[in-house]
Amino acid sequence: NAKHSQEEAMGQEPEYLNSMQEFSFTQRIPQEEIDKLTNAVTSSGDPAAYLALSNNFTPSWKAAKAAAKQDTETHISDMIGNLTVNEDGVPIAKDDGSPELRKIIRYYDSQFMVGSVLQSIVIPKLISDGKLTYDHIKLHIDKLQTLNKDTYDTVKLGFDYWFDGKYFEAASILIPQLEDMLGDLVLKFGMSRYRQKDDDLVEYKTLGPILSDLKKTLGDDIYHFLHYTLIDPAKHNLRNYNGHGKIKSGDKDIERKALLVLIAYLVVLVPLQIEVKVTEVKQPKKPKPKLKK
C-alpha cells in the first residue's frame, strides 16, 4: 500500500505524465527459428491446418490464463487502466477494471503480437515459394459447399483476390462473408440466427451474440481469437472497421489485415467436421428365376 501510494503520487507529477505515455518492447526472433518454422509448415502435409492449430501463429486463451495464474508478480500494466481512442481522438473502449483480466490479456496480447509477426514473415515466404496456394486451403474452404453454396462461391472469389495479392478486394469480400458463415454455423448447431427486436419483430443477430452462441461449441481459443480480431474495439476490430468503411484500398497495413482474415477462416474451418447426408438408393429386388423341371 505504501509503494502504491508513492506510485500514485509520482503519477501526478508533470514530468512523469510528459515522459511516460507509451510502453514498448523489442523482441528478436532468430532467423534459424523462422527457417525451422517455415520448414515445419511445409512438411506438415496440411499447411492450412498447421497455420490454424499451431500456437506459433494463433494465440491460446487457455495458455494465457494458465500463464497469468502462475505469475504471482505485480506488473505496472496490471495496475493501469486502459482507454482506447480512435483516429479522431474519441474514446471508444475501456477495460473492465479487473486486474486478473488485465494480466490474462497482457499474456494474450504478447502471444497475438508474436503470432502476427510470424504470420507476416512466414506466410508471404510460403506463397512466394509456391508452397502455400489456394489448393492448400481448398480442402477446408470446400466444407462451405455443404454449409451454404452461395457463401462458398463468394468466399472462393474472395480468396481468388487474396492469392492474387489484391488484399483490399479480398478483405472487402471475406470479412462480411465470415460473419454470414458464422451465422450459418449457429443454425447448423441448432440455434436461431434471429433475436427478438420487440413483441412483433425479430432481427438478425449481430456478430457479438453469434460468437457468444458459438463459444460453447467452438471453444474459448477460437471464440477469443475471433472476438479479438473482428469486434473488440480496443484490438483489431476488423468487422466493425469494414462495416463502417474504415478499411481503405491505400491502407499501409492492408496485407496484415488480410493475413488475419485468412487465419480467422482457417481457425474455424480446419477443426470443423460437417456431416454430409447421403441418400442410399435401393435397387429393386430381382425376382428369383424359376427352375424348370
Side-chain angles (χ1 to χ4, degrees):
N1 287 339
K3 189 69 176 176
H4 197 171
S5 298
Q6 291 175 14
E7 289 174 353
E8 285 184 331
M10 182 176 66
Q12 302 304 314
E13 296 175 3
E15 294 82 1
Y16 182 88
L17 293 175
N18 291 333
S19 64
M20 293 193 66
Q21 295 193 14
E22 292 187 5
F23 295 91
S24 64
F25 70 91
T26 301
Q27 185 166 358
R28 178 181 172 273
I29 304 174
Q31 182 61 46
E32 56 267 25
E33 294 300 322
I34 297 293
D35 294 339
K36 189 187 300 181
L37 185 56
T38 304
N39 291 333
V41 177
T42 305
S43 60
S44 66
D46 189 344
Y50 196 103
L51 293 173
L53 301 175
S54 169
N55 291 146
N56 290 303
F57 297 106
T58 56
S60 167
W61 184 258
K62 294 175 184 175
K65 284 182 71 174
K69 188 175 182 180
Q70 292 176 2
D71 186 353
T72 58
E73 296 182 358
T74 299
H75 295 257
I76 192 168
S77 58
D78 300 332
M79 302 165 63
I80 298 174
N82 296 309
L83 182 68
T84 302
V85 297
N86 65 11
E87 66 275 12
D88 299 318
V90 176
I92 59 172
K94 61 181 179 179
D95 65 38
D96 70 349
S98 165
E100 293 81 9
L101 184 57
R102 283 183 198 151
K103 184 175 285 191
I104 295 170
I105 291 175
R106 175 161 54 82
Y107 278 98
Y108 193 77
D109 280 338
S110 178
Q111 288 184 55
F112 209 108
M113 206 176 302
V114 173
S116 295
V117 170
L118 292 175
Q119 290 169 25
S120 63
I121 295 171
V122 172
I123 295 177
K125 172 68 173 168
L126 291 170
I127 292 172
S128 65
D129 291 346
K131 295 177 179 177
L132 181 66
T133 66
Y134 180 76
D135 287 341
H136 290 107
I137 71 170
K138 184 178 184 299
L139 171 68
H140 306 289
I141 301 299
D142 280 356
K143 296 174 185 177
L144 288 174
Q145 292 189 77
T146 302
L147 193 64
N148 186 318
K149 181 63 166 59
D150 292 334
T151 301
Y152 169 77
D153 291 338
T154 310
V155 166
K156 186 180 182 306
L157 175 63
F159 277 112
D160 286 342
Y161 281 123
W162 201 102
F163 282 96
D164 282 342
K166 297 178 180 178
Y167 297 123
F168 171 70
E169 292 85 348
S172 298
I173 292 172
L174 292 174
I175 292 172
Q177 292 305 311
L178 178 58
E179 178 171 354
D180 195 45
M181 180 187 83
L182 293 168
D184 285 335
L185 280 179
V186 166
L187 277 177
K188 189 75 175 177
F189 296 143
M191 296 171 280
S192 174
R193 281 199 70 167
Y194 293 91
R195 60 182 178 183
Q196 202 72 30
K197 187 176 182 180
D198 56 35
D199 289 343
D200 302 316
L201 300 173
V202 296
E203 63 184 359
Y204 273 118
K205 289 177 180 175
T206 54
L207 188 52
I210 285 174
L211 290 181
S212 296
D213 285 347
L214 293 174
K215 185 176 182 180
K216 185 176 181 180
T217 306
L218 298 183
D220 282 350
D221 283 353
I222 295 177
Y223 167 82
H224 284 285
F225 180 85
L226 295 175
H227 191 279
Y228 190 108
T229 302
L230 298 173
I231 59 174
D232 189 334
K235 306 303 178 183
H236 290 289
N237 204 20
L238 292 184
R239 181 265 187 192
N240 293 321
Y241 279 129
N242 182 72
H244 295 294
K246 293 298 184 181
I247 295 180
K248 309 293 186 183
S249 60
D251 282 357
K252 293 180 180 178
D253 64 341
I254 189 66
E255 183 177 359
R256 170 92 291 277
K257 291 183 173 83
L259 284 170
L260 286 173
V261 173
L262 169 67
I263 298 296
Y265 270 89
L266 294 181
V267 298
V268 175
L269 291 175
V270 164
L272 187 64
Q273 301 293 325
I274 295 181
E275 294 181 3
V276 180
K277 291 183 179 180
V278 178
T279 303
E280 184 182 353
V281 179
K282 293 185 178 181
Q283 298 294 332
K285 291 183 179 181
K286 294 181 180 179
K288 293 181 179 179
K290 292 182 179 180
L291 297 177
K292 292 181 180 180
K293 292 183 179 178

